CSV table of all heavy atoms in Angstrom, one decimal:
chain,number,residue,atom,x,y,z
A,222,VAL,N,-11.1,-1.5,-12.3
A,222,VAL,CA,-9.7,-1.9,-12.2
A,222,VAL,C,-9.4,-2.5,-13.6
A,222,VAL,O,-10.1,-3.5,-14.0
A,222,VAL,CB,-9.6,-3.0,-11.1
A,222,VAL,CG1,-8.2,-3.5,-11.0
A,222,VAL,CG2,-10.1,-2.4,-9.7
A,223,SER,N,-8.3,-1.9,-14.0
A,223,SER,CA,-7.9,-2.4,-15.5
A,223,SER,C,-7.3,-3.8,-15.4
A,223,SER,O,-6.9,-4.4,-14.5
A,223,SER,CB,-6.9,-1.4,-16.1
A,223,SER,OG,-5.7,-1.7,-15.4
A,224,ARG,N,-7.4,-4.4,-16.6
A,224,ARG,CA,-6.8,-5.8,-16.9
A,224,ARG,C,-5.5,-5.9,-16.5
A,224,ARG,O,-4.9,-6.7,-15.9
A,224,ARG,CB,-7.1,-6.3,-18.2
A,224,ARG,CG,-8.6,-6.7,-18.5
A,224,ARG,CD,-8.7,-7.1,-19.8
A,224,ARG,NE,-10.1,-7.3,-20.4
A,224,ARG,CZ,-10.7,-7.4,-21.5
A,224,ARG,NH1,-9.7,-7.7,-22.5
A,224,ARG,NH2,-11.9,-7.5,-21.8
A,225,ALA,N,-4.8,-4.7,-17.0
A,225,ALA,CA,-3.3,-4.7,-16.6
A,225,ALA,C,-3.0,-4.6,-15.2
A,225,ALA,O,-2.1,-5.4,-14.7
A,225,ALA,CB,-2.7,-3.4,-17.4
A,226,LEU,N,-3.8,-3.8,-14.4
A,226,LEU,CA,-3.6,-3.7,-13.0
A,226,LEU,C,-3.8,-5.1,-12.4
A,226,LEU,O,-3.0,-5.7,-11.4
A,226,LEU,CB,-4.4,-2.7,-12.3
A,226,LEU,CG,-4.3,-2.5,-10.9
A,226,LEU,CD1,-2.8,-2.2,-10.4
A,226,LEU,CD2,-5.2,-1.3,-10.4
A,227,MET,N,-5.0,-5.7,-12.8
A,227,MET,CA,-5.3,-7.0,-12.2
A,227,MET,C,-4.2,-8.1,-12.3
A,227,MET,O,-3.9,-8.9,-11.5
A,227,MET,CB,-6.7,-7.5,-12.6
A,227,MET,CG,-7.8,-6.8,-11.9
A,227,MET,SD,-7.7,-6.8,-10.0
A,227,MET,CE,-7.8,-8.5,-9.8
A,228,ALA,N,-3.8,-8.0,-13.7
A,228,ALA,CA,-2.6,-9.0,-14.0
A,228,ALA,C,-1.4,-8.8,-13.2
A,228,ALA,O,-0.7,-9.7,-12.7
A,228,ALA,CB,-2.4,-8.8,-15.5
A,229,GLU,N,-1.0,-7.6,-13.0
A,229,GLU,CA,0.0,-7.2,-12.2
A,229,GLU,C,0.0,-7.7,-10.6
A,229,GLU,O,0.8,-8.1,-10.1
A,229,GLU,CB,0.4,-5.7,-12.2
A,229,GLU,CG,1.7,-5.3,-11.4
A,229,GLU,CD,3.0,-5.9,-12.1
A,229,GLU,OE1,3.0,-6.6,-13.1
A,229,GLU,OE2,4.0,-5.8,-11.4
A,230,ILE,N,-1.3,-7.5,-10.2
A,230,ILE,CA,-1.7,-7.8,-8.7
A,230,ILE,C,-1.5,-9.3,-8.6
A,230,ILE,O,-0.9,-9.9,-7.7
A,230,ILE,CB,-3.0,-7.3,-8.4
A,230,ILE,CG1,-3.0,-5.7,-8.2
A,230,ILE,CG2,-3.4,-8.0,-7.1
A,230,ILE,CD1,-4.3,-5.1,-7.9
A,231,ARG,N,-2.1,-10.0,-9.7
A,231,ARG,CA,-1.9,-11.4,-9.6
A,231,ARG,C,-0.4,-11.9,-9.6
A,231,ARG,O,0.0,-12.8,-9.0
A,231,ARG,CB,-2.7,-12.1,-10.8
A,231,ARG,CG,-4.2,-12.1,-10.5
A,231,ARG,CD,-4.9,-13.0,-11.6
A,231,ARG,NE,-6.2,-12.5,-11.8
A,231,ARG,CZ,-6.8,-11.5,-12.7
A,231,ARG,NH1,-5.9,-11.1,-13.6
A,231,ARG,NH2,-8.0,-11.2,-12.7
A,232,ARG,N,0.4,-11.2,-10.5
A,232,ARG,CA,1.8,-11.6,-10.7
A,232,ARG,C,2.4,-11.4,-9.4
A,232,ARG,O,3.3,-12.4,-8.9
A,232,ARG,CB,2.4,-10.8,-11.9
A,232,ARG,CG,3.9,-11.3,-12.0
A,232,ARG,CD,4.6,-10.2,-12.9
A,232,ARG,NE,4.9,-9.0,-12.3
A,232,ARG,CZ,5.8,-8.8,-11.5
A,232,ARG,NH1,6.6,-9.6,-11.1
A,232,ARG,NH2,5.9,-7.5,-11.1
A,233,ILE,N,2.5,-10.4,-8.8
A,233,ILE,CA,3.2,-9.9,-7.6
A,233,ILE,C,2.8,-10.8,-6.3
A,233,ILE,O,3.5,-11.2,-5.5
A,233,ILE,CB,3.3,-8.4,-7.3
A,233,ILE,CG1,1.8,-7.9,-6.8
A,233,ILE,CG2,3.9,-7.6,-8.4
A,233,ILE,CD1,1.9,-6.5,-6.4
A,234,THR,N,1.4,-11.1,-6.6
A,234,THR,CA,0.8,-12.0,-5.3
A,234,THR,C,1.5,-13.4,-5.5
A,234,THR,O,2.0,-13.9,-4.5
A,234,THR,CB,-0.7,-12.0,-5.3
A,234,THR,OG1,-1.2,-10.7,-5.3
A,234,THR,CG2,-1.1,-12.8,-4.3
A,235,ALA,N,1.4,-13.9,-6.7
A,235,ALA,CA,2.0,-15.3,-7.0
A,235,ALA,C,3.5,-15.4,-6.7
A,235,ALA,O,4.0,-16.3,-6.1
A,235,ALA,CB,1.6,-15.7,-8.4
A,236,GLU,N,4.2,-14.4,-7.1
A,236,GLU,CA,5.7,-14.4,-7.0
A,236,GLU,C,6.2,-13.7,-5.8
A,236,GLU,O,7.3,-13.7,-5.3
A,236,GLU,CB,6.3,-13.5,-8.2
A,236,GLU,CG,6.0,-14.2,-9.5
A,236,GLU,CD,6.6,-13.3,-10.7
A,236,GLU,OE1,7.3,-12.3,-10.4
A,236,GLU,OE2,6.3,-13.6,-11.8
A,237,GLU,N,5.3,-13.2,-4.8
A,237,GLU,CA,5.5,-12.6,-3.7
A,237,GLU,C,6.7,-11.6,-3.8
A,237,GLU,O,7.8,-11.8,-3.0
A,237,GLU,CB,5.8,-13.7,-2.5
A,237,GLU,CG,4.6,-14.6,-2.3
A,237,GLU,CD,4.9,-15.6,-1.1
A,237,GLU,OE1,5.9,-15.6,-0.6
A,237,GLU,OE2,3.9,-16.2,-0.9
A,238,THR,N,6.7,-10.7,-4.7
A,238,THR,CA,7.7,-9.8,-4.8
A,238,THR,C,7.4,-8.4,-4.1
A,238,THR,O,8.1,-7.4,-4.5
A,238,THR,CB,7.7,-9.5,-6.4
A,238,THR,OG1,6.5,-8.8,-6.9
A,238,THR,CG2,8.0,-10.6,-7.3
A,239,TYR,N,6.7,-8.4,-3.1
A,239,TYR,CA,6.4,-7.1,-2.4
A,239,TYR,C,6.7,-7.5,-0.9
A,239,TYR,O,6.7,-8.6,-0.5
A,239,TYR,CB,5.0,-6.7,-2.6
A,239,TYR,CG,4.0,-7.8,-2.2
A,239,TYR,CD1,3.4,-7.8,-0.9
A,239,TYR,CD2,3.5,-8.6,-3.2
A,239,TYR,CE1,2.6,-8.9,-0.7
A,239,TYR,CE2,2.5,-9.6,-2.9
A,239,TYR,CZ,2.1,-9.6,-1.7
A,239,TYR,OH,1.0,-10.6,-1.3
A,240,GLU,N,6.8,-6.3,-0.1
A,240,GLU,CA,7.0,-6.5,1.3
A,240,GLU,C,5.6,-7.1,1.9
A,240,GLU,O,4.6,-6.7,1.6
A,240,GLU,CB,7.4,-5.3,2.0
A,240,GLU,CG,8.7,-4.8,1.6
A,240,GLU,CD,9.9,-5.5,2.1
A,240,GLU,OE1,9.7,-6.2,3.3
A,240,GLU,OE2,10.9,-5.7,1.4
A,241,ARG,N,5.8,-8.0,2.9
A,241,ARG,CA,4.7,-8.5,3.5
A,241,ARG,C,4.3,-7.7,4.8
A,241,ARG,O,3.4,-8.1,5.5
A,241,ARG,CB,5.0,-10.0,4.0
A,241,ARG,CG,5.4,-10.9,2.8
A,241,ARG,CD,4.3,-11.1,1.8
A,241,ARG,NE,3.1,-11.8,2.4
A,241,ARG,CZ,2.0,-12.0,1.9
A,241,ARG,NH1,1.9,-11.5,0.7
A,241,ARG,NH2,1.0,-12.6,2.5
A,242,GLN,N,5.0,-6.7,5.0
A,242,GLN,CA,4.7,-5.8,6.2
A,242,GLN,C,4.9,-4.4,5.7
A,242,GLN,O,5.7,-4.1,5.0
A,242,GLN,CB,5.9,-6.0,7.1
A,242,GLN,CG,5.9,-5.3,8.4
A,242,GLN,CD,6.8,-5.8,9.4
A,242,GLN,OE1,6.7,-6.9,10.0
A,242,GLN,NE2,7.9,-4.9,9.5
A,243,VAL,N,3.9,-3.6,6.2
A,243,VAL,CA,3.9,-2.1,5.9
A,243,VAL,C,4.0,-1.3,7.2
A,243,VAL,O,3.4,-1.8,8.2
A,243,VAL,CB,2.8,-1.7,5.1
A,243,VAL,CG1,2.9,-2.4,3.6
A,243,VAL,CG2,1.6,-1.9,5.7
A,244,LEU,N,4.5,-0.1,7.2
A,244,LEU,CA,4.4,0.8,8.2
A,244,LEU,C,3.1,1.7,8.1
A,244,LEU,O,2.9,2.1,7.0
A,244,LEU,CB,5.7,1.8,8.3
A,244,LEU,CG,7.0,1.0,8.5
A,244,LEU,CD1,8.1,2.1,8.3
A,244,LEU,CD2,7.0,0.3,9.8
A,245,PHE,N,2.3,1.7,9.1
A,245,PHE,CA,1.0,2.5,9.0
A,245,PHE,C,1.2,3.6,10.0
A,245,PHE,O,0.9,3.4,11.2
A,245,PHE,CB,-0.1,1.4,9.3
A,245,PHE,CG,-1.4,1.9,8.8
A,245,PHE,CD1,-1.7,1.6,7.4
A,245,PHE,CD2,-2.3,2.6,9.5
A,245,PHE,CE1,-2.9,2.2,6.9
A,245,PHE,CE2,-3.5,2.9,9.0
A,245,PHE,CZ,-3.9,2.9,7.8
A,246,VAL,N,1.5,4.7,9.4
A,246,VAL,CA,1.6,5.9,10.3
A,246,VAL,C,0.2,6.4,10.7
A,246,VAL,O,-0.7,6.9,9.8
A,246,VAL,CB,2.4,7.0,9.6
A,246,VAL,CG1,2.6,8.2,10.6
A,246,VAL,CG2,3.8,6.4,9.3
A,247,ARG,N,-0.2,6.4,11.9
A,247,ARG,CA,-1.5,6.9,12.3
A,247,ARG,C,-1.7,8.4,12.1
A,247,ARG,O,-0.7,9.1,12.2
A,247,ARG,CB,-1.8,6.5,13.8
A,247,ARG,CG,-1.9,5.0,13.9
A,247,ARG,CD,-3.1,4.5,13.2
A,247,ARG,NE,-3.1,3.1,13.3
A,247,ARG,CZ,-4.2,2.5,12.8
A,247,ARG,NH1,-5.1,3.1,12.2
A,247,ARG,NH2,-4.2,1.2,12.8
A,248,ASN,N,-2.8,8.9,11.9
A,248,ASN,CA,-3.1,10.3,11.7
A,248,ASN,C,-2.8,11.1,12.9
A,248,ASN,O,-2.9,10.7,13.9
A,248,ASN,CB,-4.6,10.5,11.2
A,248,ASN,CG,-5.5,10.6,12.2
A,248,ASN,OD1,-5.5,11.5,13.1
A,248,ASN,ND2,-6.4,9.5,12.3
A,249,LEU,N,-2.6,12.3,12.7
A,249,LEU,CA,-2.2,13.3,13.8
A,249,LEU,C,-3.3,14.1,14.2
A,249,LEU,O,-3.3,15.1,15.0
A,249,LEU,CB,-1.1,14.3,13.2
A,249,LEU,CG,0.3,13.5,12.9
A,249,LEU,CD1,1.3,14.3,12.3
A,249,LEU,CD2,0.8,12.9,14.2
A,250,GLY,N,-4.5,13.9,13.6
A,250,GLY,CA,-5.7,14.7,14.0
A,250,GLY,C,-6.0,15.8,13.0
A,250,GLY,O,-6.9,16.7,13.3
A,251,PHE,N,-5.3,15.8,12.0
A,251,PHE,CA,-5.5,17.0,11.0
A,251,PHE,C,-5.0,16.5,9.6
A,251,PHE,O,-4.2,15.4,9.6
A,251,PHE,CB,-4.8,18.2,11.2
A,251,PHE,CG,-3.4,18.2,11.3
A,251,PHE,CD1,-2.7,18.5,10.1
A,251,PHE,CD2,-2.6,17.9,12.5
A,251,PHE,CE1,-1.3,18.5,10.2
A,251,PHE,CE2,-1.3,17.8,12.5
A,251,PHE,CZ,-0.6,18.1,11.3
A,252,CYS,N,-5.3,17.1,8.5
A,252,CYS,CA,-4.8,16.9,7.3
A,252,CYS,C,-4.6,18.2,6.5
A,252,CYS,O,-5.6,18.8,6.2
A,252,CYS,CB,-5.8,15.8,6.4
A,252,CYS,SG,-5.3,15.5,4.8
A,253,GLU,N,-3.5,18.5,6.3
A,253,GLU,CA,-3.1,19.8,5.6
A,253,GLU,C,-3.3,19.6,4.1
A,253,GLU,O,-2.5,19.1,3.4
A,253,GLU,CB,-1.7,20.2,5.9
A,253,GLU,CG,-1.4,21.6,5.5
A,253,GLU,CD,-2.0,22.7,6.4
A,253,GLU,OE1,-2.2,22.5,7.5
A,253,GLU,OE2,-2.2,23.7,5.7
A,254,PRO,N,-4.2,20.3,3.5
A,254,PRO,CA,-4.5,20.3,2.1
A,254,PRO,C,-3.3,21.0,1.3
A,254,PRO,O,-2.6,22.0,1.8
A,254,PRO,CB,-5.7,21.2,1.8
A,254,PRO,CG,-6.4,21.3,3.1
A,254,PRO,CD,-5.3,21.1,4.2
A,255,THR,N,-2.9,20.4,0.2
A,255,THR,CA,-1.9,21.0,-0.6
A,255,THR,C,-2.3,20.8,-2.1
A,255,THR,O,-3.4,20.2,-2.3
A,255,THR,CB,-0.4,20.2,-0.4
A,255,THR,OG1,-0.7,19.0,-1.0
A,255,THR,CG2,0.0,20.1,1.0
A,256,SER,N,-1.5,21.3,-3.0
A,256,SER,CA,-1.9,21.2,-4.4
A,256,SER,C,-1.9,19.6,-4.8
A,256,SER,O,-2.7,19.3,-5.7
A,256,SER,CB,-1.0,22.0,-5.3
A,256,SER,OG,0.4,21.4,-5.2
A,257,ALA,N,-1.2,18.8,-4.1
A,257,ALA,CA,-1.3,17.4,-4.4
A,257,ALA,C,-2.1,16.7,-3.6
A,257,ALA,O,-2.7,15.7,-4.0
A,257,ALA,CB,0.2,16.8,-4.3
A,258,ARG,N,-2.4,17.1,-2.3
A,258,ARG,CA,-3.3,16.4,-1.4
A,258,ARG,C,-4.6,17.3,-1.4
A,258,ARG,O,-4.7,18.1,-0.6
A,258,ARG,CB,-2.6,16.4,0.0
A,258,ARG,CG,-3.5,15.5,0.8
A,258,ARG,CD,-2.9,15.5,2.3
A,258,ARG,NE,-1.4,15.3,2.4
A,258,ARG,CZ,-0.5,16.1,2.9
A,258,ARG,NH1,-1.0,17.2,3.3
A,258,ARG,NH2,0.6,15.8,3.0
A,259,ARG,N,-5.5,16.7,-2.1
A,259,ARG,CA,-6.9,17.5,-2.2
A,259,ARG,C,-8.0,16.5,-1.4
A,259,ARG,O,-8.9,16.2,-2.1
A,259,ARG,CB,-7.2,17.6,-3.6
A,259,ARG,CG,-6.2,18.5,-4.2
A,259,ARG,CD,-6.5,18.4,-5.8
A,259,ARG,NE,-5.5,19.1,-6.6
A,259,ARG,CZ,-5.3,18.8,-7.8
A,259,ARG,NH1,-6.2,18.1,-8.5
A,259,ARG,NH2,-4.2,19.2,-8.5
A,260,ILE,N,-7.7,16.3,-0.2
A,260,ILE,CA,-8.6,15.4,0.6
A,260,ILE,C,-8.8,16.1,2.0
A,260,ILE,O,-7.9,16.8,2.6
A,260,ILE,CB,-8.0,14.1,0.7
A,260,ILE,CG1,-8.9,13.1,1.3
A,260,ILE,CG2,-6.6,14.2,1.5
A,260,ILE,CD1,-8.4,11.6,1.3
A,261,SER,N,-10.1,16.1,2.5
A,261,SER,CA,-10.3,16.6,3.7
A,261,SER,C,-9.8,15.6,4.9
A,261,SER,O,-9.5,14.4,4.6
A,261,SER,CB,-11.9,16.8,3.9
A,261,SER,OG,-12.5,15.5,4.0
A,262,PHE,N,-9.8,16.1,5.9
A,262,PHE,CA,-9.5,15.2,7.2
A,262,PHE,C,-10.3,14.0,7.2
A,262,PHE,O,-9.9,12.9,7.5
A,262,PHE,CB,-9.4,15.9,8.4
A,262,PHE,CG,-9.1,15.2,9.7
A,262,PHE,CD1,-7.9,14.4,9.8
A,262,PHE,CD2,-10.0,15.0,10.8
A,262,PHE,CE1,-7.6,13.7,10.8
A,262,PHE,CE2,-9.8,14.1,11.7
A,262,PHE,CZ,-8.5,13.5,11.7
A,263,GLN,N,-11.7,14.3,7.1
A,263,GLN,CA,-12.6,13.3,7.2
A,263,GLN,C,-12.5,12.2,6.1
A,263,GLN,O,-12.5,11.0,6.3
A,263,GLN,CB,-14.2,13.9,7.2
A,263,GLN,CG,-15.2,12.8,7.5
A,263,GLN,CD,-15.0,12.2,8.9
A,263,GLN,OE1,-14.6,12.8,9.8
A,263,GLN,NE2,-15.1,10.9,9.0
A,264,GLU,N,-12.2,12.6,5.0
A,264,GLU,CA,-12.0,11.7,3.8
A,264,GLU,C,-10.6,10.9,4.2
A,264,GLU,O,-10.6,9.8,3.7
A,264,GLU,CB,-11.8,12.5,2.5
A,264,GLU,CG,-13.0,13.2,1.9
A,264,GLU,CD,-12.8,14.1,0.8
A,264,GLU,OE1,-11.8,14.9,0.9
A,264,GLU,OE2,-13.6,14.0,0.0
A,265,SER,N,-9.7,11.5,4.7
A,265,SER,CA,-8.3,10.9,5.0
A,265,SER,C,-8.7,9.8,5.9
A,265,SER,O,-7.9,8.7,5.9
A,265,SER,CB,-7.4,11.9,5.6
A,265,SER,OG,-7.5,12.2,7.0
A,266,LEU,N,-9.6,9.9,6.9
A,266,LEU,CA,-9.9,8.8,7.8
A,266,LEU,C,-10.5,7.6,7.2
A,266,LEU,O,-10.2,6.5,7.4
A,266,LEU,CB,-10.8,9.3,8.9
A,266,LEU,CG,-10.2,10.4,9.9
A,266,LEU,CD1,-11.3,10.9,10.9
A,266,LEU,CD2,-9.0,9.9,10.6
A,267,VAL,N,-11.4,7.9,6.2
A,267,VAL,CA,-12.2,6.9,5.4
A,267,VAL,C,-11.0,6.2,4.5
A,267,VAL,O,-11.0,5.0,4.5
A,267,VAL,CB,-13.2,7.5,4.5
A,267,VAL,CG1,-13.8,6.4,3.6
A,267,VAL,CG2,-14.3,8.0,5.5
A,268,PHE,N,-10.1,7.0,4.0
A,268,PHE,CA,-9.1,6.4,3.1
A,268,PHE,C,-8.2,5.6,3.9
A,268,PHE,O,-7.7,4.5,3.5
A,268,PHE,CB,-8.4,7.5,2.6
A,268,PHE,CG,-7.4,7.2,1.3
A,268,PHE,CD1,-8.0,6.4,0.2
A,268,PHE,CD2,-6.0,7.5,1.2
A,268,PHE,CE1,-7.1,6.0,-0.8
A,268,PHE,CE2,-5.4,7.2,0.1
A,268,PHE,CZ,-5.9,6.4,-0.8
């Protein structure tokens, strides 16, 4: 993890500049590979 990323995480955490709630869409039982999505279904579950 780069110093710049850690600094940004500390900043947004301290300033609370992010949403405190996220939508977590559950998997549909498959993962369609694309040129951008190069992950298997099993890897998607781990992710």
Side-chain angles (χ1 to χ4, degrees):
V222 178
S223 71
R224 288 183 191 168
L226 177 57
M227 284 308 299
E229 183 63 7
I230 289 171
R231 285 189 205 98
R232 184 191 69 78
I233 66 171
T234 301
E236 296 176 11
E237 296 185 359
T238 59
Y239 57 92
E240 292 293 328
R241 303 295 298 170
Q242 177 176 287
V243 296
L244 299 175
F245 200 83
V246 181
R247 292 296 173 179
N248 80 72
L249 297 173
F251 67 92
C252 181
E253 187 72 30
T255 68
S256 60
R258 187 186 310 118
R259 300 176 194 157
I260 188 170
S261 71
F262 176 64
Q263 191 59 41
E264 289 169 323
S265 76
L266 296 176
V267 172
F268 196 51

